[in-house]
Amino acid sequence: MGLSAGILNTIGDTALVQLSRVADGFPGHLLAKLEGLNPTGSTEDRSAVAAVDELLRRGELVAGTTLVAETGSADFAASLTQVCRSRRLELVCVVSPAVESAVGGLLRAYGARVEVPDGAAADEPAREAFARDLAKRIGGYWPGLHSELLRAESDRRAAREILEHSDGPLDLVICDADSPAVLRGCADQIRSLGLATELVAVHLVDDEDAQMPADPGVEGVRHRLRIDRTTAARACRRLVEREAILAGPRSGAALAAFEQLADELAPDAKVVLLFPDKGHRHLDTIYS
């Protein structure tokens, strides 16, 4: 990589690497898209910069206005704070207690104001209502559900990179269901190019959660798999032991999903796993 004009210009075009040790007995080719190499450590950097820049382009967010954003994702909160700091925007981040615990210090280091609503703080509608009311009180801008639409369009470059850099046809792409735009982007590319590549969506769920989460609604997904956090954590530890990749839980879930499907694949199959996060925020849980 050559000289970049600022930190945000380093987002994307992440490495695609071969996993040669973790897939015991698999004779095919197993590749991983390392989205944890984005500046704040996740694929959400793509979403955050695209969303903020689109709001600026449309004139809905202007210099001197405070952006009030609600998110239940620690990764997206971290990404958004870096983008706002780089674009010289003030940010108020309305988050759950879990997100505050995970990245509250990081958000404040970037200069964001962090708000955790009282009461039903873990409830998304309650946080959205709090953010909307707060924006009115301080004269800030709250994009509301519009921000989700912007994020939905922003990860498609990752899908193009996966398909363009994999050195030949792919048999299977395994993607995090919490990255629906990457799923959509892969499905769109597969259809437009007439490829036979199959697409699998992986849901990371709490150990006690027996239900399949909501369908991400992406046409072209072969099927969906549930991976509990304990299984994902074990897969993360195998990754660091065998491949020296310090991955986050969503990445571990992708590997665990592959392991469930490996016996169904052709001996010469080529598979790409999207690793959307890295493990630096999980040292005291997964890696302790």
Side-chain angles (χ1 to χ4, degrees):
M1 180 181 293
L3 180 66
S4 294
I7 188 65
L8 301 187
N9 290 87
T10 68
I11 293 172
D13 204 20
T14 53
L16 188 67
V17 302
Q18 180 143 353
L19 303 180
S20 57
R21 302 187 185 103
V22 77
D24 292 342
F26 179 61
H29 301 280
L30 183 62
L31 312 176
K33 178 71 167 166
L34 303 183
E35 287 293 280
L37 297 179
N38 282 305
T40 72
S42 83
T43 193
E44 299 295 355
D45 286 359
R46 298 176 186 265
S47 303
V49 71
V52 170
D53 285 354
E54 180 66 8
L55 291 171
L56 289 168
R57 186 188 69 80
R58 294 183 182 184
E60 297 177 31
L61 185 62
V62 297
T65 301
T66 298
L67 174 64
V68 180
E70 179 279 328
T71 179
S73 164
D75 287 335
F76 187 68
S79 299
L80 190 60
T81 53
Q82 183 183 66
V83 172
C84 287
R85 175 51 59 200
S86 181
R87 295 291 189 249
R88 298 294 188 263
L89 298 167
E90 297 298 320
L91 173 67
V92 179
C93 222
V94 179
V95 300
S96 67
V99 171
E100 200 284 332
S101 176
V103 294
L106 177 65
L107 307 187
R108 294 183 184 93
Y110 276 117
R113 171 180 161 188
V114 181
E115 292 283 348
V116 181
D118 294 331
D123 180 71
E124 183 174 344
R127 291 196 307 272
E128 286 185 351
F130 181 92
R132 182 180 61 249
D133 293 343
L134 178 61
K136 290 179 180 177
R137 291 200 307 271
I138 68 173
Y141 174 73
W142 175 68
L145 296 178
H146 182 49
S147 64
E148 296 301 315
L149 298 175
L150 293 176
R151 290 177 62 191
E153 293 297 322
S154 63
D155 285 343
R156 295 188 179 188
R157 189 162 64 111
R160 290 195 295 271
E161 291 169 15
I162 289 172
L163 294 171
E164 291 172 1
H165 299 166
S166 53
D167 192 25
L170 292 173
D171 295 282
L172 185 67
V173 174
I174 298 178
C175 184
D176 172 40
D178 286 332
S179 301
V182 176
L183 276 172
R184 272 192 292 273
C186 284
D188 290 347
Q189 290 287 92
I190 288 166
R191 280 196 300 272
S192 66
L193 297 174
L195 303 177
T197 307
E198 294 186 326
L199 196 55
V200 172
V202 182
H203 297 269
L204 179 64
V205 300
D206 293 334
D207 291 359
E208 64 276 10
D209 189 352
Q211 294 186 344
M212 177 66 78
D215 192 324
V218 177
E219 183 182 353
V221 172
R222 171 190 171 191
H223 62 135
R224 300 184 294 139
L225 295 177
R226 291 173 62 261
I227 301 294
D228 63 70
R229 290 187 177 275
T230 297
T231 301
R234 292 188 185 120
C236 287
R237 290 192 287 271
R238 287 196 296 277
L239 272 170
V240 75
E241 289 166 4
R242 301 181 189 181
E243 303 284 355
I245 294 174
L246 190 73
R250 292 190 289 163
S251 303
L255 175 61
F258 162 76
E259 291 170 341
Q260 288 188 15
L261 297 171
D263 290 342
E264 304 174 16
L265 300 173
D268 59 348
K270 183 182 286 187
V271 180
V272 169
L273 311 180
L274 179 80
F275 284 178
D277 54 357
K278 65 180 180 180
H280 62 302
R281 296 193 185 107
H282 307 277
L283 299 179
D284 295 332
T285 52
I286 291 174
Y287 298 102
S288 62

